[in-house]
Amino acid sequence: GALTRTCVSNHAKRRIASMAPHLMIRSFSSAEPSQDDTSSAPTAPTLPIPAFAQKVDEHKEEQKRRRLSEVKISEVLQAKHSFRWVDPVICRTSTVEEAIIACIEGGLSGMMVVETLNEGEKKVVGLTTSRDLLRILAAKLRDGEPANAIMKEHMGDYMTPISQVIFCRPEETVGMCRTIMAKLGIKCIPVLSKEGRVEGLITAKDMSDFGLDAKDRGGKTNFLRDISERVGLSSNTSMAEPPPYLQAHMALEQTPLYMNVGVAELPHPFKTPDGVGMNHRDFGPEDFATDPKLSEDSWFVSQVLLPDERGENLRNAVYLGVADGVGSWRQYGVDPREFSHKLMEECKNILAEASANATLGGKKFHRMISPPEILAQAYERVKADNVIGSTTACVALFDNVRHQLHFSNLGDSGIIVLRHIDSDVAGSLKRDRETPRSDRKSDLRVAFVSQQQLKSFNHPFQLGWTGRELDESEGHSFKTAKDSCTTSIHVRRGDIIIMATDGLFDNLEVDDIAQTALEWEQQYGFIRGGDIMARERRWAMGNSLTVLSSEVIDDLAAKLCKQAREKSLDPTTDSPFAILAKENDIMWSGGMPDDCTVIAMHVVGRSPHDKMDKDHQ
C-alpha cells in the first residue's frame, strides 16, 4: 500500500532516512490486504510516524504544547469575548425574575450587580450567580412565601456585596484561578484590572473551552469519536446501590444524631487582672495564669426547642459559639473582654427568647434561626448597649435530623472536622497506602477545615464598635455578619468536631490536633486499633458508648488547651503562627502565647439520657 501521510517536510525526510536501518515506516491503505498478501508480507515493527514528521502550523503547535494551567486568564477572557459577547451585568433594582431570565437567555453563570450613575457609568455594587438565585427560591419557598412574590424581590437585597466578592487579576494563570475557585467553592470569578474595572467573568467552563479549538468541538469525526457512543440511556437504566462502605452510614442517616459537648479555656499565660506581660519575667507570679475570668475569649453552648422549617414540630437544636476579644483595645483604656463576652451573652439571650416564644404556627419564630442571623442580631444589641471594643466570632448550629453543622465564622477562629475513613475508600482525601495496614495506628482524617478571614497577617476581620458608625474610607477592620464565611457541612456518627479560637490554631498543627483526638478515642475505647468495622458492629449491637462520651469529652477539650499552651511557650519549635509570620517577612520564633478556648464535640448515635445505651456502659 502507498504511504498516505504525504505532508512530510524535507527536513523530516532526511531525519527518517538517517533512521532507516533502525525502523520501518508502516504503510496504510484503505483496502484490507488479501490472505496471500498477508502471508507473504514481511513482519516488522509497526511504529507510528515520529511527531517531528508532522508538519503543522508553528503557532498552533506551540499552543498545544503549552500547559493550560500556565495560560494567563486575560487570554482566556479575550478568547471568550471574541467568540461571544454578553454583557454580564444586571441592575441593582432588577427583580429576581429578570435575573433568572437574563441568566438563561445569556447563558450566564453569574452577573455583576451594578448601579447606573448620572454619567452612564456602571458602578459595581455586588455579584450574583445562578446558584444564588436557586438558593433564594429554595429559602423563600421553604418559608412558605408565594412564588409570585419571590419573583418580584429586588436583586440588591440578595446579592453578594462587593466587600465579599473574590476576584482575580488578568495576569494570573488558569491554574491559580482554578485553585481559588476550588478552595472557595465558587463557580465564577470576576477579572479585575489594575484600574479597578471588571473586565468580565470567568467560569470553569471558559477555562476548559480555551483548551479546545472549534474544530475539536464540532464536525463528523468528533461526534463519532467522542459523542456517538455516549449519547442516550437505555429504557432499563437504573441507579447503582451505594458502595458497601457507605451502606452502614446510609442506614444510620434515617435516624437522628446527637452531640456531646465539652469546653475548656485558658487565659494568656502571662495575664493578670492588671494586664498582660510580654514574657514570664514581666508576668511576675511563678505559676502561669489559669483563671478563665481573665480571658478575652468567650463562648456559649445552648440547647433549645425551636420549630422546624415548616413550623409544624418542635425540635432540639444545639447552638455553639466562640468569640475572641481584640486585646489592643487595652491601650485605649477599654477592657477587651467586654465586647466578646457581651456578644456571646446576647447570642444566648436571643436563643432563649426564641425558644420561649416558639409556638406552633407562630409568626415571630416559625423556623430555626440561622447562625448569621444570630450573629447579626447579637451584634446590633451590643452596639445598642454602646459596648466599645471588637471581636472575632464563630457561631454554629447542629442539625441532628439532617446530620449537618451550619456555621458562620468571622475572623481567625474556626472549625475542623475529624473523621475515620478507610484508606481504600478515602476518595479525594489523603490516603496512606504506603504504610501497611497492620502498622497504621488509625485512618482518622481531617475531613474539613473552615476558612479564616484576615485583612493582613495577624489582622483578622472583626465585629466592632467605637461609639459611632465608621466610614469605609477610614480603613478599619470592622465587618458585619454578612461578611462572615457561612457554610454547612455534613457530619457522621463518630465524627469529632473542634471549634476554637486562634489560641489553638496558632500553636497546634491540624495534624497534631487529629493525633490528640485519636489518643483520646483510644484511651476510652471509642476506637480500638483503628478498626472501623469493629466500631460499626458495636454500634449495630446498640452499644454507642454515649454516656461515656458525655462524661469524658471535656478531657479532649482540656488536653488540646493544655497542648496549645505548652507549644505557645516552647521557643525551640516554630508554631503555625511563627511559620506564617516568616512567610510574611516578620521575624518570629516559637509559639504564640494567647487566650485559648476549645469546644470539642463528639457526634454519637444516642442521647446520653437513653436508657438502652446506659445498659451498655
Side-chain angles (χ1 to χ4, degrees):
L3 179 66
T4 58
R5 298 180 182 238
T6 59
C7 55
V8 182
S9 67
N10 291 332
H11 174 71
K13 288 177 182 178
R14 288 194 296 269
R15 291 288 303 275
I16 295 171
S18 66
M19 299 172 61
H22 307 288
L23 61 84
M24 292 184 63
I25 304 301
R26 183 181 180 184
S27 298
F28 295 87
S29 174
S30 58
E32 290 293 326
S34 65
Q35 186 174 358
D36 294 339
D37 293 336
T38 305
S39 61
S40 60
T43 59
T46 56
L47 300 177
I49 296 178
F52 56 75
Q54 301 181 20
K55 184 178 180 181
V56 293
D57 181 82
E58 183 177 350
H59 176 70
K60 290 184 178 180
E61 185 67 21
E62 176 64 21
Q63 288 293 101
K64 289 181 180 179
R65 285 199 299 263
R66 288 178 62 187
R67 294 182 58 193
L68 179 59
S69 61
E70 297 174 355
V71 175
K72 290 184 178 180
I73 210 68
S74 57
E75 296 183 41
V76 179
L77 193 63
Q78 184 179 4
K80 175 182 179 179
H81 289 168
S82 63
F83 178 73
R84 181 170 180 261
W85 168 258
V86 177
D87 199 13
V89 299
I90 191 164
C91 184
R92 184 176 195 163
T93 57
S94 297
T95 63
V96 171
E97 180 180 10
E98 291 169 337
I100 293 174
I101 292 173
C103 275
I104 294 173
E105 293 184 348
L108 300 172
S109 295
M111 297 178 289
M112 303 308 298
V113 183
V114 300
E115 285 181 345
T116 304
L117 304 180
N118 295 333
E119 300 81 7
E121 180 184 356
K122 298 174 181 176
K123 178 184 177 183
V124 176
V125 294
L127 170 72
T128 189
T129 68
S130 56
R131 186 163 54 186
D132 293 336
L133 296 172
L134 288 174
R135 285 173 177 164
I136 293 170
L137 290 173
K140 294 289 186 179
L141 290 172
R142 189 168 56 241
D143 289 345
E145 295 192 24
N148 290 338
I150 300 171
M151 290 296 180
K152 302 304 179 185
E153 299 273 3
H154 289 164
M155 285 306 305
D157 298 329
Y158 302 102
M159 66 182 183
T160 301
I162 193 171
S163 60
Q164 296 182 39
V165 174
I166 306 297
F167 63 88
C168 67
R169 296 290 188 184
E171 63 273 14
E172 292 179 329
T173 64
V174 167
M176 174 61 73
C177 289
R178 280 178 167 170
T179 300
I180 293 172
M181 293 170 73
K183 285 184 176 181
L184 301 181
I186 54 180
K187 61 186 302 182
C188 64
I189 186 168
V191 182
L192 186 69
S193 69
K194 292 181 180 179
E195 295 75 24
R197 294 192 303 268
V198 175
E199 303 292 340
L201 287 109
I202 289 292
T203 67
K205 181 179 182 298
D206 296 331
M207 291 182 277
S208 298
D209 286 349
F210 184 82
L212 296 173
D213 292 330
K215 64 181 182 181
D216 294 328
R217 287 192 289 260
K220 186 183 299 182
T221 300
N222 289 304
F223 183 87
L224 292 174
R225 182 183 61 201
D226 301 330
I227 302 173
S228 62
E229 297 294 331
R230 297 176 176 84
V231 62
L233 300 177
S234 64
S235 58
N236 59 352
T237 301
S238 61
M239 292 299 296
E241 292 295 323
Y245 65 87
L246 280 179
Q247 289 179 2
H249 288 287
M250 297 289 286
L252 292 172
E253 287 186 359
Q254 306 303 317
T255 58
L257 290 178
Y258 299 87
M259 178 182 284
N260 290 325
V261 182
V263 184
E265 55 182 329
L266 282 173
H268 191 296
F270 307 141
K271 187 170 289 185
T272 68
D274 300 324
V276 182
M278 293 296 295
N279 50 49
H280 200 182
R281 181 181 301 173
D282 293 339
F283 173 57
E286 293 184 3
D287 296 329
F288 295 117
T290 57
D291 186 358
K293 294 180 181 178
L294 298 175
S295 177
E296 288 142 24
D297 288 356
S298 185
W299 60 273
F300 81 92
V301 176
S302 293
Q303 182 168 336
V304 293
L305 278 175
L306 291 175
D308 59 17
E309 289 82 353
R310 298 183 179 181
E312 298 174 353
N313 300 289
L314 291 175
R315 285 169 43 190
N316 270 310
V318 179
Y319 288 85
L320 318 95
V322 294
D324 180 5
V326 177
S328 56
W329 281 99
R330 190 177 290 104
Q331 60 186 307
Y332 301 102
V334 174
D335 187 345
R337 296 173 295 181
E338 292 184 358
F339 196 94
S340 57
H341 285 241
K342 183 65 174 177
L343 185 73
M344 294 292 98
E345 178 186 335
E346 290 300 340
C347 287
K348 289 187 68 174
N349 291 341
I350 290 166
L351 291 168
E353 293 166 12
S355 182
N357 291 284
T359 55
L360 298 181
K363 294 183 179 181
K364 186 175 182 181
F365 299 106
H366 63 282
R367 60 180 175 81
M368 291 282 186
I369 310 175
S370 67
E373 288 178 305
I374 296 174
L375 207 52
Q377 293 178 33
Y379 181 37
E380 291 302 319
R381 291 189 181 191
V382 174
K383 291 196 295 182
D385 287 344
N386 201 34
V387 179
I388 308 300
S390 61
T391 184
T392 66
C394 182
V395 174
L397 159 64
F398 174 59
D399 185 338
N400 71 328
V401 174
R402 291 188 172 83
H403 301 185
Q404 289 184 324
L405 186 74
H406 312 279
F407 72 89
S408 290
N409 186 46
L410 186 81
D412 56 3
S413 296
I415 290 175
I416 65 171
V417 178
L418 307 175
R419 178 174 300 159
H420 285 278
I421 305 176
D422 190 278
S423 289
D424 294 331
V425 296
S428 61
L429 299 176
K430 285 186 176 180
R431 305 182 181 191
D432 182 5
R433 288 186 169 176
E434 296 180 0
T435 308
R437 179 175 293 279
S438 58
D439 297 338
R440 288 203 301 267
K441 295 181 179 179
S442 170
D443 285 310
L444 185 65
R445 312 302 176 99
V446 179
F448 177 82
V449 178
S450 64
Q451 181 188 350
Q452 296 186 4
Q453 301 166 306
L454 299 95
K455 186 174 183 180
S456 59
F457 173 72
N458 205 30
H459 193 172
F461 285 11
Q462 307 158 29
L463 298 173
W465 180 246
T466 64
R468 64 179 181 86
E469 295 289 351
L470 299 179
D471 189 80
E472 291 185 4
S473 62
E474 297 184 63
H476 58 85
S477 299
F478 294 170
K479 302 292 181 180
T480 67
K482 289 183 178 180
D483 298 308
S484 63
C485 176
T486 300
T487 190
S488 300
I489 52 178
H490 187 80
V491 297
R492 291 182 179 175
R493 186 176 183 177
D495 283 358
I496 295 174
I497 305 170
I498 304 297
M499 172 190 282
T501 57
D502 64 336
L504 179 72
F505 300 118
D506 281 349
N507 290 293
L508 289 183
E509 297 283 359
V510 174
D511 289 339
D512 294 334
I513 296 173
Q515 180 60 32
T516 300
L518 172 63
E519 292 171 359
W520 174 81
E521 283 187 304
Q522 293 175 335
Q523 178 183 354
Y524 293 105
F526 298 112
I527 195 81
R528 299 183 185 276
D531 192 341
I532 303 174
M533 297 306 296
R535 183 186 65 172
E536 293 183 352
R537 287 192 296 270
R538 171 169 58 80
W539 288 347
M541 292 186 294
N543 188 0
S544 184
L545 297 181
T546 297
V547 175
L548 177 61
S549 167
S550 67
E551 294 171 349
V552 301
I553 187 65
D554 284 324
D555 292 351
L556 175 57
K559 284 183 179 181
L560 290 171
C561 255
K562 181 181 178 182
Q563 286 183 352
R565 166 168 285 192
E566 290 172 351
K567 291 290 186 181
S568 75
L569 298 171
D570 181 3
T572 63
T573 305
D574 276 351
S575 62
F577 180 89
I579 294 172
L580 186 59
K582 290 173 180 176
E583 290 177 357
N584 286 270
D585 299 324
I586 298 172
M587 295 307 297
W588 190 281
S589 297
M592 175 59 180
D594 197 0
D595 301 325
C596 181
T597 299
V598 176
I599 299 180
M601 296 159 264
H602 193 204
V603 181
V604 293
R606 295 183 184 276
S607 165
H609 307 295
D610 192 319
K611 182 180 183 301
M612 181 182 295
D613 198 74
K614 290 182 179 180
D615 294 338
H616 286 281
Q617 303 302 310

